[in-house]
Amino acid sequence: MNPNTGAGPDGEGTPVGRRLVLGMLGLGAGAMAAAPWLQSGLETALGAVADKDPTGVTGLLPNGGGFRYYSVTSSVPHKDDSSYRLTVDGLVDKPAAYRLADLRALPQTRLVRDVQCVTGWRVPETPFEGVRLSTLLDAAGVSPRGKAVRFTCFDGAYSESLTLDQARRSDILVALKLKDKPIGHSHGGPVRLYVAPMYFYKSAKWLSGITVTDEVRPGYWEERGYDVDAWVGRSNGRDDDPTA
């Protein structure tokens, strides 16, 4: 995977110094056993640094929250209440565009599951909260020809897919919160997909489009060899414990 990178105000990344990287490595190890407030602070600091790191080295660093920062592009625009839109279209009767306020007004579901990356790291008992994907699909009215759902992202590059049956599971969320706080930019905010029972590459960050299609269209990493059906412990040649 390509680690998360970012760009400075002039469009060029600001290099991360060797001392800062070594310091973060030491902090990352120490924070795993530190108080929760220190873990939270380290995670926030690493996210901010990752946004300005053209080398991608911060994506290799652990942090108090256990996550890594990944992106497949050199920079990702920031979205907020005024600029964010989530479209639902394709083989549906009623295409829609949701603002953040619209999504927040819908019934919310909170799930606490382990997060498992196909590269091996795992973050236990991680709360995600948001709107069930099935709620948005039901509101749109899926055509009888609809068999799958394709997801696109406002980084301009990433995509994912699920079968329609998978998309209607109760543990698939259009997520607005992570660890009971609004999802930050480095974690794919303000809105990301959360596919609880599958490897984390299925949980597309920076979600901007939900399109109902007549067949499964492999996503970004599936076009590069990952399994389309990414059940934890039953795919990609791994035997991790299930997350759902």
Side-chain angles (χ1 to χ4, degrees):
M1 287 188 178
N2 293 338
N4 194 25
T5 59
D10 60 355
E12 296 294 326
T14 303
V16 176
R18 181 173 178 271
R19 287 184 180 179
L20 178 57
V21 171
L22 292 175
M24 289 189 295
L25 280 169
L27 282 171
M32 296 304 290
W37 64 266
L38 178 58
Q39 295 181 7
S40 177
L42 178 62
E43 186 172 346
T44 299
L46 282 177
V49 172
D51 272 349
K52 299 177 177 63
D53 174 18
T55 68
V57 70
T58 48
L60 305 177
L61 299 173
N63 62 72
F67 288 91
R68 309 299 196 266
Y69 296 95
Y70 294 127
S71 174
V72 299
T73 64
S74 60
S75 64
V76 181
H78 287 244
K79 301 286 186 179
D80 57 22
D81 287 66
S82 63
S83 59
Y84 181 78
R85 296 292 185 275
L86 174 64
T87 59
V88 181
D89 57 19
L91 298 175
V92 298
D93 299 328
K94 295 174 286 185
Y98 291 88
R99 300 168 300 170
L100 283 175
D102 300 326
L103 294 172
R104 292 171 183 145
L106 294 172
Q108 306 291 300
T109 296
R110 186 176 185 268
L111 299 175
V112 182
R113 306 282 175 80
D114 289 1
V115 167
Q116 177 71 51
C117 181
V118 74
T119 60
W121 55 265
R122 191 179 185 104
V123 184
E125 297 183 355
T126 303
F128 277 90
E129 185 174 331
V131 181
R132 283 179 174 161
L133 177 58
S134 61
T135 298
L136 301 184
L137 294 174
D138 289 345
V142 175
S143 163
R145 295 187 293 128
K147 304 298 180 186
V149 184
R150 176 173 172 80
F151 307 94
T152 49
C153 308
F154 62 79
D155 68 349
Y158 204 82
S159 63
E160 257 307 335
S161 289
L162 295 169
T163 68
L164 190 58
D165 286 343
Q166 291 167 353
R168 290 192 179 281
R169 287 178 57 110
S170 62
D171 53 3
I172 313 298
L173 302 181
V174 172
L176 305 172
K177 289 184 178 182
L178 167 63
K179 298 182 179 178
D180 301 312
K181 297 179 181 179
I183 297 178
H185 178 77
S186 294
H187 283 298
V191 178
R192 71 175 297 160
L193 188 66
Y194 178 51
V195 183
M198 295 188 179
Y199 285 107
F200 207 37
Y201 65 87
K202 301 296 288 191
S203 297
K205 298 200 291 186
W206 306 300
L207 184 66
S208 63
I210 298 171
T211 301
V212 178
T213 59
D214 59 358
E215 62 181 359
V216 171
R217 300 177 186 178
Y220 182 92
W221 284 114
E222 285 118 33
E223 291 177 340
R224 291 157 175 81
Y226 284 15
D227 286 357
V228 173
D229 288 323
W231 306 106
V232 174
R234 291 189 279 134
S235 65
N236 291 284
R238 298 187 60 87
D239 59 357
D240 305 287
D241 292 336
T243 54

